[in-house]
Amino acid sequence: MAAIKLDGLSKTYKVKVRGEGLKNTFKSLVKPEYKEVEAVKNVSFSVEEGEMLAFIGPNGAGKSTTIKMLTGILHPTSGQAEVLGFNPVKDRKKLSYQIGAVFGQKSQLSFHLPPLDSFRLLSSVYEIEKAEYEKRLARLTELLELEEFLDSPVRKLSLGQRVRCEFAASLLHGPRILFLDEPTIGLDVVVKHKIRDLIKRLNKEEGVTVFLTSHDAGDIENLCRRAIVIDHGTVAVDMSVKKMKYDYLNKKVVSLKFNAETTLEETEGVTLIKHTPYAAKFSVDTRIAAIGRVIAGLDSDNIADITIEEPPMEEIIAAIYTKK
């Protein structure tokens, strides 16, 4: 059964045109002119219950606009959307009890109050019975390790602590679908792993459907089985993450710092990007050379520091369009 259905979904904004020069600027204030911008254009696809979908694309591609239409925040210009059998616009209140959302750039917590106060407020908003609320909060507190800062004002929390509380706030009412818009932006590696483990656990144990947008290739590779690429408001590619991983997520970028002067040479599957006597940066094609074998082949006693990164999502998307 499909949890989410989109049929020809479109969203057009009217944007004021600003004139150049003093005369045109004054004219635009007196008699403003507008142009139409199509943020989302005739998008159609479906997401099955229990599926974890990566919805990716460059900035301005229409990802956040699509999520806002699916959650009832924005009204579509044309087309239809159905989420858990509800129309997000007409049935927004009913739908809100069934979905949760985490927006990496926006907060649903009260800035000057402790997270616990926001959680209590949300439990009233979602009409959660006291026993169920306490049970749910205890589980989320344990999974996200929130106990030590539940009573600290949100303004005093680190970014990682705040995002963990945002996830707890979105999950208190036991949503069936979780919309995630750049949920791990700016987080360190440890917190990212905690968040990913939580999402996997919710999907496995509770069958939560996950609709994820992210610029972090690690989020997509570790969480999702299917990816949809959107650009300029239209769906460009719909593929399995397994195929994407083989075709586009097959490179790791390794940065090294050495204790002594070191010379490195390129080998099959390994390409040097930058090299100085005390540092090096190279990419590894994991289809040809396993990252573990490459690292094992280095002199570990001479390594002062090592970092392994995914290629930027923009680079992956560019590669997809080039191949397409």
Side-chain angles (χ1 to χ4, degrees):
M1 178 181 171
I4 301 171
K5 291 181 183 178
L6 287 76
D7 184 11
L9 198 67
S10 300
K11 180 64 180 179
T12 302
Y13 293 102
K14 282 188 175 181
V15 180
K16 187 182 290 187
V17 179
R18 295 189 64 180
E20 295 183 4
L22 184 61
K23 183 178 179 180
N24 288 329
T25 300
F26 180 75
K27 182 180 177 181
S28 65
L29 290 172
V30 176
K31 191 177 180 181
E33 295 181 3
Y34 296 88
K35 67 176 180 179
E36 290 190 343
V37 176
E38 291 183 284
V40 177
K41 308 172 189 176
N42 196 34
V43 171
S44 300
F45 62 84
S46 63
V47 182
E48 295 301 307
E49 279 198 45
E51 187 176 357
M52 293 203 284
L53 173 76
F55 191 61
I56 60 178
N59 291 328
K63 305 186 298 295
S64 296
T65 300
T66 302
I67 285 183
K68 288 175 181 176
M69 286 191 285
L70 292 175
T71 54
I73 296 172
L74 290 178
H75 291 207
T77 305
S78 61
Q80 294 181 336
E82 188 178 286
V83 181
L84 296 172
F86 295 108
N87 182 310
V89 175
K90 296 178 181 178
D91 306 313
R92 185 180 177 188
K93 185 176 179 180
K94 293 178 182 177
L95 179 62
S96 66
Y97 286 87
Q98 304 293 325
I99 63 173
V102 177
F103 294 91
Q105 306 284 11
K106 293 181 175 64
S107 177
Q108 57 187 318
L109 303 171
S110 297
F111 187 64
H112 297 290
L113 297 177
L116 198 55
D117 288 358
S118 293
F119 295 161
R120 288 175 183 140
L121 175 62
L122 288 169
S123 73
S124 297
V125 170
Y126 287 109
E127 301 173 359
I128 308 171
E129 292 185 4
K130 186 178 179 181
E132 178 62 25
Y133 162 69
E134 290 177 351
K135 178 182 175 183
R136 191 83 180 170
L137 179 61
R139 182 167 185 260
L140 290 169
T141 299
E142 180 184 357
L143 289 173
L144 290 164
E145 299 177 8
L146 308 178
E147 190 169 1
E148 64 182 66
F149 49 82
L150 276 177
D151 292 312
S152 300
V154 170
R155 68 177 185 276
K156 293 186 178 181
L157 302 183
S158 68
L159 176 61
Q161 291 171 335
R162 184 179 64 77
V163 170
R164 280 145 65 188
C165 289
E166 293 285 353
F167 266 88
S170 298
L171 296 167
L172 275 174
H173 58 294
R176 292 169 59 191
I177 298 180
L178 192 58
F179 291 96
L180 305 174
D181 191 5
E182 302 290 354
T184 62
I185 189 168
L187 300 182
D188 61 53
V189 175
V190 175
V191 178
K192 281 183 182 181
H193 280 301
K194 289 182 187 294
I195 295 299
R196 290 170 187 167
D197 287 344
L198 172 68
I199 295 169
K200 287 179 184 177
R201 190 163 180 174
L202 288 169
N203 175 258
K204 183 178 180 179
E205 296 179 1
E206 301 182 18
V208 175
T209 304
V210 177
F211 192 98
L212 167 73
T213 77
S214 179
H215 276 81
D216 190 322
D219 288 345
I220 295 158
E221 187 175 359
N222 284 283
L223 293 174
C224 303
R225 291 186 177 179
R226 176 183 167 209
I228 290 177
V229 181
I230 185 172
D231 189 29
H232 293 93
T234 60
V235 172
V237 176
D238 187 344
M239 69 171 74
S240 69
V241 170
K242 184 177 180 181
K243 177 174 172 54
M244 177 180 279
K245 185 176 180 179
Y246 182 80
D247 289 347
Y248 308 107
L249 300 177
N250 46 44
K251 286 187 179 179
K252 303 288 183 183
V253 179
V254 181
S255 299
L256 295 168
K257 290 183 181 178
F258 305 114
N259 295 313
E261 289 191 20
T262 303
T263 301
L264 291 181
E265 295 181 1
E266 291 187 356
T267 59
E268 189 179 15
V270 178
T271 304
L272 281 173
I273 300 171
K274 187 178 179 181
H275 190 214
T276 65
Y278 289 93
K281 187 175 185 179
F282 57 85
S283 66
V284 179
D285 188 334
T286 54
R287 293 174 299 181
I288 301 171
I291 188 72
R293 180 171 60 81
V294 173
I295 300 302
L298 299 170
D299 181 4
S300 59
D301 292 334
N302 189 33
I303 297 175
D305 190 26
I306 182 170
T307 303
I308 303 174
E309 300 175 315
E310 309 281 353
M313 183 54 64
E314 288 79 5
E315 185 179 309
I316 295 167
I317 293 168
I320 291 171
Y321 285 123
T322 301
K323 192 166 183 177
K324 185 169 77 74

